[in-house]
PDB file of all heavy atoms in Angstrom:
ATOM      1  N   ARG A1132    -101.459 -31.732-146.654  1.00  0.00           N
ATOM      2  CA  ARG A1132    -101.413 -32.038-145.224  1.00  0.00           C
ATOM      3  C   ARG A1132    -101.903 -33.458-144.963  1.00  0.00           C
ATOM      4  O   ARG A1132    -101.334 -34.189-144.148  1.00  0.00           O
ATOM      5  CB  ARG A1132    -102.255 -31.039-144.432  1.00  0.00           C
ATOM      6  CG  ARG A1132    -101.577 -29.699-144.215  1.00  0.00           C
ATOM      7  CD  ARG A1132    -102.538 -28.599-143.792  1.00  0.00           C
ATOM      8  NE  ARG A1132    -103.602 -29.036-142.890  1.00  0.00           N
ATOM      9  CZ  ARG A1132    -104.705 -28.328-142.664  1.00  0.00           C
ATOM     10  NH1 ARG A1132    -104.882 -27.159-143.280  1.00  0.00           N
ATOM     11  NH2 ARG A1132    -105.612 -28.771-141.825  1.00  0.00           N
ATOM     12  N   PHE A1133    -102.963 -33.864-145.657  1.00  0.00           N
ATOM     13  CA  PHE A1133    -103.480 -35.218-145.496  1.00  0.00           C
ATOM     14  C   PHE A1133    -102.411 -36.258-145.843  1.00  0.00           C
ATOM     15  O   PHE A1133    -102.292 -37.296-145.186  1.00  0.00           O
ATOM     16  CB  PHE A1133    -104.709 -35.440-146.379  1.00  0.00           C
ATOM     17  CG  PHE A1133    -105.951 -34.716-145.933  1.00  0.00           C
ATOM     18  CD1 PHE A1133    -107.027 -34.567-146.795  1.00  0.00           C
ATOM     19  CD2 PHE A1133    -106.050 -34.178-144.655  1.00  0.00           C
ATOM     20  CE1 PHE A1133    -108.190 -33.918-146.400  1.00  0.00           C
ATOM     21  CE2 PHE A1133    -107.206 -33.521-144.246  1.00  0.00           C
ATOM     22  CZ  PHE A1133    -108.279 -33.393-145.129  1.00  0.00           C
ATOM     23  N   ALA A1134    -101.653 -35.996-146.910  1.00  0.00           N
ATOM     24  CA  ALA A1134    -100.622 -36.947-147.336  1.00  0.00           C
ATOM     25  C   ALA A1134     -99.495 -37.049-146.313  1.00  0.00           C
ATOM     26  O   ALA A1134     -98.836 -38.095-146.206  1.00  0.00           O
ATOM     27  CB  ALA A1134    -100.058 -36.539-148.699  1.00  0.00           C
ATOM     28  N   GLN A1135     -99.283 -36.000-145.557  1.00  0.00           N
ATOM     29  CA  GLN A1135     -98.197 -35.968-144.575  1.00  0.00           C
ATOM     30  C   GLN A1135     -98.626 -36.466-143.201  1.00  0.00           C
ATOM     31  O   GLN A1135     -97.786 -36.827-142.375  1.00  0.00           O
ATOM     32  CB  GLN A1135     -97.653 -34.541-144.447  1.00  0.00           C
ATOM     33  CG  GLN A1135     -96.977 -34.035-145.706  1.00  0.00           C
ATOM     34  CD  GLN A1135     -96.680 -32.546-145.649  1.00  0.00           C
ATOM     35  OE1 GLN A1135     -97.162 -31.841-144.761  1.00  0.00           O
ATOM     36  NE2 GLN A1135     -95.881 -32.067-146.594  1.00  0.00           N
ATOM     37  N   SER A1136     -99.945 -36.484-142.933  1.00  0.00           N
ATOM     38  CA  SER A1136    -100.419 -36.801-141.593  1.00  0.00           C
ATOM     39  C   SER A1136    -101.624 -37.740-141.651  1.00  0.00           C
ATOM     40  O   SER A1136    -102.716 -37.329-142.053  1.00  0.00           O
ATOM     41  CB  SER A1136    -100.809 -35.521-140.841  1.00  0.00           C
ATOM     42  OG  SER A1136    -101.496 -35.809-139.648  1.00  0.00           O
ATOM     43  N   GLU A1137    -101.422 -39.001-141.241  1.00  0.00           N
ATOM     44  CA  GLU A1137    -102.541 -39.936-141.197  1.00  0.00           C
ATOM     45  C   GLU A1137    -103.584 -39.500-140.175  1.00  0.00           C
ATOM     46  O   GLU A1137    -104.770 -39.784-140.328  1.00  0.00           O
ATOM     47  CB  GLU A1137    -102.045 -41.351-140.867  1.00  0.00           C
ATOM     48  CG  GLU A1137    -101.495 -42.098-142.057  1.00  0.00           C
ATOM     49  CD  GLU A1137    -101.463 -43.599-141.836  1.00  0.00           C
ATOM     50  OE1 GLU A1137    -101.742 -44.042-140.699  1.00  0.00           O
ATOM     51  OE2 GLU A1137    -101.166 -44.326-142.811  1.00  0.00           O
ATOM     52  N   GLN A1138    -103.140 -38.790-139.144  1.00  0.00           N
ATOM     53  CA  GLN A1138    -104.077 -38.315-138.131  1.00  0.00           C
ATOM     54  C   GLN A1138    -105.069 -37.332-138.736  1.00  0.00           C
ATOM     55  O   GLN A1138    -106.284 -37.426-138.504  1.00  0.00           O
ATOM     56  CB  GLN A1138    -103.320 -37.658-136.974  1.00  0.00           C
ATOM     57  CG  GLN A1138    -104.227 -37.185-135.843  1.00  0.00           C
ATOM     58  CD  GLN A1138    -103.448 -36.564-134.703  1.00  0.00           C
ATOM     59  OE1 GLN A1138    -102.219 -36.449-134.745  1.00  0.00           O
ATOM     60  NE2 GLN A1138    -104.147 -36.145-133.662  1.00  0.00           N
ATOM     61  N   GLN A1139    -104.574 -36.381-139.541  1.00  0.00           N
ATOM     62  CA  GLN A1139    -105.465 -35.422-140.189  1.00  0.00           C
ATOM     63  C   GLN A1139    -106.327 -36.098-141.252  1.00  0.00           C
ATOM     64  O   GLN A1139    -107.499 -35.764-141.417  1.00  0.00           O
ATOM     65  CB  GLN A1139    -104.656 -34.281-140.800  1.00  0.00           C
ATOM     66  CG  GLN A1139    -103.984 -33.384-139.776  1.00  0.00           C
ATOM     67  CD  GLN A1139    -103.431 -32.124-140.398  1.00  0.00           C
ATOM     68  OE1 GLN A1139    -104.105 -31.455-141.179  1.00  0.00           O
ATOM     69  NE2 GLN A1139    -102.191 -31.784-140.060  1.00  0.00           N
ATOM     70  N   LEU A1140    -105.748 -37.049-141.961  1.00  0.00           N
ATOM     71  CA  LEU A1140    -106.502 -37.765-142.978  1.00  0.00           C
ATOM     72  C   LEU A1140    -107.606 -38.595-142.324  1.00  0.00           C
ATOM     73  O   LEU A1140    -108.722 -38.679-142.865  1.00  0.00           O
ATOM     74  CB  LEU A1140    -105.564 -38.659-143.788  1.00  0.00           C
ATOM     75  CG  LEU A1140    -106.187 -39.477-144.921  1.00  0.00           C
ATOM     76  CD1 LEU A1140    -106.956 -38.599-145.898  1.00  0.00           C
ATOM     77  CD2 LEU A1140    -105.099 -40.271-145.652  1.00  0.00           C
ATOM     78  N   HIS A1141    -107.324 -39.173-141.177  1.00  0.00           N
ATOM     79  CA  HIS A1141    -108.335 -39.956-140.473  1.00  0.00           C
ATOM     80  C   HIS A1141    -109.489 -39.064-140.032  1.00  0.00           C
ATOM     81  O   HIS A1141    -110.661 -39.479-140.075  1.00  0.00           O
ATOM     82  CB  HIS A1141    -107.717 -40.657-139.262  1.00  0.00           C
ATOM     83  CG  HIS A1141    -108.669 -41.581-138.559  1.00  0.00           C
ATOM     84  ND1 HIS A1141    -109.386 -41.211-137.440  1.00  0.00           N
ATOM     85  CD2 HIS A1141    -109.033 -42.868-138.837  1.00  0.00           C
ATOM     86  CE1 HIS A1141    -110.144 -42.223-137.042  1.00  0.00           C
ATOM     87  NE2 HIS A1141    -109.948 -43.236-137.873  1.00  0.00           N
ATOM     88  N   ARG A1142    -109.174 -37.841-139.653  1.00  0.00           N
ATOM     89  CA  ARG A1142    -110.223 -36.898-139.260  1.00  0.00           C
ATOM     90  C   ARG A1142    -111.128 -36.581-140.450  1.00  0.00           C
ATOM     91  O   ARG A1142    -112.348 -36.441-140.307  1.00  0.00           O
ATOM     92  CB  ARG A1142    -109.577 -35.623-138.712  1.00  0.00           C
ATOM     93  CG  ARG A1142    -110.500 -34.744-137.894  1.00  0.00           C
ATOM     94  CD  ARG A1142    -109.696 -33.819-137.008  1.00  0.00           C
ATOM     95  NE  ARG A1142    -110.574 -32.885-136.310  1.00  0.00           N
ATOM     96  CZ  ARG A1142    -110.839 -31.660-136.722  1.00  0.00           C
ATOM     97  NH1 ARG A1142    -110.287 -31.211-137.845  1.00  0.00           N
ATOM     98  NH2 ARG A1142    -111.649 -30.870-136.049  1.00  0.00           N
ATOM     99  N   TYR A1143    -110.528 -36.462-141.639  1.00  0.00           N
ATOM    100  CA  TYR A1143    -111.325 -36.277-142.853  1.00  0.00           C
ATOM    101  C   TYR A1143    -112.200 -37.497-143.106  1.00  0.00           C
ATOM    102  O   TYR A1143    -113.392 -37.372-143.428  1.00  0.00           O
ATOM    103  CB  TYR A1143    -110.420 -36.033-144.058  1.00  0.00           C
ATOM    104  CG  TYR A1143    -111.143 -36.153-145.387  1.00  0.00           C
ATOM    105  CD1 TYR A1143    -111.980 -35.135-145.838  1.00  0.00           C
ATOM    106  CD2 TYR A1143    -111.016 -37.300-146.174  1.00  0.00           C
ATOM    107  CE1 TYR A1143    -112.666 -35.254-147.038  1.00  0.00           C
ATOM    108  CE2 TYR A1143    -111.692 -37.424-147.375  1.00  0.00           C
ATOM    109  CZ  TYR A1143    -112.514 -36.400-147.814  1.00  0.00           C
ATOM    110  OH  TYR A1143    -113.202 -36.523-148.986  1.00  0.00           O
ATOM    111  N   TRP A1144    -111.630 -38.701-142.952  1.00  0.00           N
ATOM    112  CA  TRP A1144    -112.399 -39.926-143.179  1.00  0.00           C
ATOM    113  C   TRP A1144    -113.591 -39.998-142.230  1.00  0.00           C
ATOM    114  O   TRP A1144    -114.692 -40.410-142.639  1.00  0.00           O
ATOM    115  CB  TRP A1144    -111.500 -41.148-142.997  1.00  0.00           C
ATOM    116  CG  TRP A1144    -112.252 -42.434-143.129  1.00  0.00           C
ATOM    117  CD1 TRP A1144    -112.575 -43.097-144.275  1.00  0.00           C
ATOM    118  CD2 TRP A1144    -112.824 -43.206-142.059  1.00  0.00           C
ATOM    119  NE1 TRP A1144    -113.296 -44.237-143.992  1.00  0.00           N
ATOM    120  CE2 TRP A1144    -113.465 -44.326-142.643  1.00  0.00           C
ATOM    121  CE3 TRP A1144    -112.842 -43.067-140.670  1.00  0.00           C
ATOM    122  CZ2 TRP A1144    -114.124 -45.288-141.876  1.00  0.00           C
ATOM    123  CZ3 TRP A1144    -113.498 -44.027-139.913  1.00  0.00           C
ATOM    124  CH2 TRP A1144    -114.128 -45.119-140.517  1.00  0.00           C
ATOM    125  N   GLN A1145    -113.419 -39.604-140.984  1.00  0.00           N
ATOM    126  CA  GLN A1145    -114.533 -39.620-140.034  1.00  0.00           C
ATOM    127  C   GLN A1145    -115.657 -38.704-140.502  1.00  0.00           C
ATOM    128  O   GLN A1145    -116.836 -39.069-140.453  1.00  0.00           O
ATOM    129  CB  GLN A1145    -114.048 -39.182-138.649  1.00  0.00           C
ATOM    130  CG  GLN A1145    -113.137 -40.182-137.963  1.00  0.00           C
ATOM    131  CD  GLN A1145    -112.598 -39.642-136.647  1.00  0.00           C
ATOM    132  OE1 GLN A1145    -112.033 -38.548-136.587  1.00  0.00           O
ATOM    133  NE2 GLN A1145    -112.767 -40.406-135.579  1.00  0.00           N
ATOM    134  N   ALA A1146    -115.297 -37.509-140.953  1.00  0.00           N
ATOM    135  CA  ALA A1146    -116.313 -36.579-141.453  1.00  0.00           C
ATOM    136  C   ALA A1146    -116.944 -37.110-142.736  1.00  0.00           C
ATOM    137  O   ALA A1146    -118.150 -36.957-142.957  1.00  0.00           O
ATOM    138  CB  ALA A1146    -115.695 -35.203-141.692  1.00  0.00           C
ATOM    139  N   LYS A1147    -116.133 -37.734-143.584  1.00  0.00           N
ATOM    140  CA  LYS A1147    -116.652 -38.310-144.828  1.00  0.00           C
ATOM    141  C   LYS A1147    -117.726 -39.343-144.525  1.00  0.00           C
ATOM    142  O   LYS A1147    -118.750 -39.407-145.224  1.00  0.00           O
ATOM    143  CB  LYS A1147    -115.504 -38.948-145.609  1.00  0.00           C
ATOM    144  CG  LYS A1147    -115.926 -39.651-146.901  1.00  0.00           C
ATOM    145  CD  LYS A1147    -114.720 -40.194-147.655  1.00  0.00           C
ATOM    146  CE  LYS A1147    -115.160 -40.944-148.912  1.00  0.00           C
ATOM    147  NZ  LYS A1147    -114.012 -41.403-149.727  1.00  0.00           N
ATOM    148  N   GLN A1148    -117.534 -40.141-143.475  1.00  0.00           N
ATOM    149  CA  GLN A1148    -118.520 -41.161-143.088  1.00  0.00           C
ATOM    150  C   GLN A1148    -119.625 -40.581-142.207  1.00  0.00           C
ATOM    151  O   GLN A1148    -120.460 -41.329-141.689  1.00  0.00           O
ATOM    152  CB  GLN A1148    -117.827 -42.312-142.358  1.00  0.00           C
ATOM    153  CG  GLN A1148    -116.623 -42.892-143.068  1.00  0.00           C
ATOM    154  CD  GLN A1148    -116.919 -43.340-144.485  1.00  0.00           C
ATOM    155  OE1 GLN A1148    -118.019 -43.773-144.788  1.00  0.00           O
ATOM    156  NE2 GLN A1148    -115.929 -43.229-145.370  1.00  0.00           N
TER     157      GLN A1148
END
Side-chain angles (χ1 to χ4, degrees):
R1132 282 164 37 197
F1133 289 164
Q1135 294 169 349
S1136 169
E1137 279 200 353
Q1138 182 179 1
Q1139 292 191 47
L1140 181 55
H1141 185 263
R1142 198 160 175 264
Y1143 167 76
W1144 176 83
Q1145 290 175 307
K1147 177 177 178 176
Q1148 309 305 328

